[in-house]
Amino acid sequence: MCSFQSCTMKQMAVDRKTPFLPEEIIRSILKRLPVKSLIRFHCVCKHWKDVIKTPSFIADHLHHSTHQSPSLLFQENDRHPLQLRLLDCEMQVREVRNTPLIDSSSWVKIIGSSNGLLCVAINEADVYPASILLWNPATGEIRQVPRTRTIDRFDWDCTVGFGFSPIINDYKIVRTYAESGYVISGVEVYSLSTGSWKEIELGNLENVNLYLQTVSANGAIFWNGIKLGVEEGGEDDTDLIVSFDIAMEVFTLIPMPNSFSKLGVYDDKLAVLSHSRIGDFPNYLCSFIDLWVLEEGIGSSTKRWSWTKKCTCGPLPSALNLGVIWRNEIACVAFGKPRLVSETRDEIENDEPKIGLYLFSITTNEFKMIAIPGCGSGRDVFNYVESLVPLGNNHIEEP
């Protein structure tokens, strides 16, 4: 018995000197956990804390979350408080808590979402342009973006875009100015890595104006835009898409497949959702959504861009606001009282309003509705993924 106890004690002593699991397995387990758990694990041991804060682990965790746990983020309205709800990959809805402290009189708008970071514009009374902050809801980290320009005149329009470039591993904010709501007259770019703004050349943005809607994909930021005709009675205004290469900091004009479209991202490519309704306003019978994907080729400027229609979803409820493309589905927010093609007039008049999120499968053309508490018209929808991406240079380097 004594010999057995002595052998056991020696084995336990050896075990204490070696890791219980190989490093690769520990990292593989940790990258599958939610951010909230990983933050708690900072207290388990210094080694785990160091692993979790390394850039390579943050990248591995982001890659896994992006492909396994994508979510949808909903902004309740444009007024403070910033009310956000999250639909996770398991189709559960929860409220996003601990939002940034913002003055109650401010107008708040989420500009964009990239790798778990949100770009938020805050429009305060008598202050122009809007202030901007970057926020990681999962970690709670907030970074106030410095204000570089204050304009007393309120006849200036400002358009903001936000995105990430894997080539330079940097997040950038682009802000354009257009006097009196017309063509762009100035552009500023903010870099998260340097923490500063700089002015850049307009390039080919002459006689171009941008709409507020923006998306980001593959190291570029995109806006719906319009190129104004140069002379009266001459060239007509042209709808187009404006692309900003985050690494090179240059603008490109891309022809649009059709007008009045919503930008999106499908299979890591720029996409356009176009919405058509059947029937007479306001009593439309149904609607259809076309999905177009941009294929970038090589050739002359007129033949470089090619749009391919991937699918047509429908017939669908008529009263829908186009949202985003999420998990091979098109997410739309219902407004008013959507009418389904299969419903009779009595069912439409007597049924409760169907307010919420509609998901339309790109592959099967089937759709489903998910109730979102407090969901109403005008709600913005964003692709989102929880991440450990920091907003400063406070992560440690690789050991």
Side-chain angles (χ1 to χ4, degrees), residues 33-42 52:
L33 299 178
V35 172
K36 185 176 180 179
S37 298
L38 293 175
I39 292 176
R40 291 203 304 265
F41 287 171
H42 282 187
I52 292 170

Side-chain angles (χ1 to χ4, degrees), residues 2 32 40 52 92 140 175 209 230 237 241 282 305 379:
C2 292
R32 289 166 167 77
R40 291 203 304 265
I52 292 170
Q92 300 297 314
R175 182 161 54 192
N209 197 4
V230 178
D237 296 347
I241 295 172
W305 314 104
R379 179 188 289 264

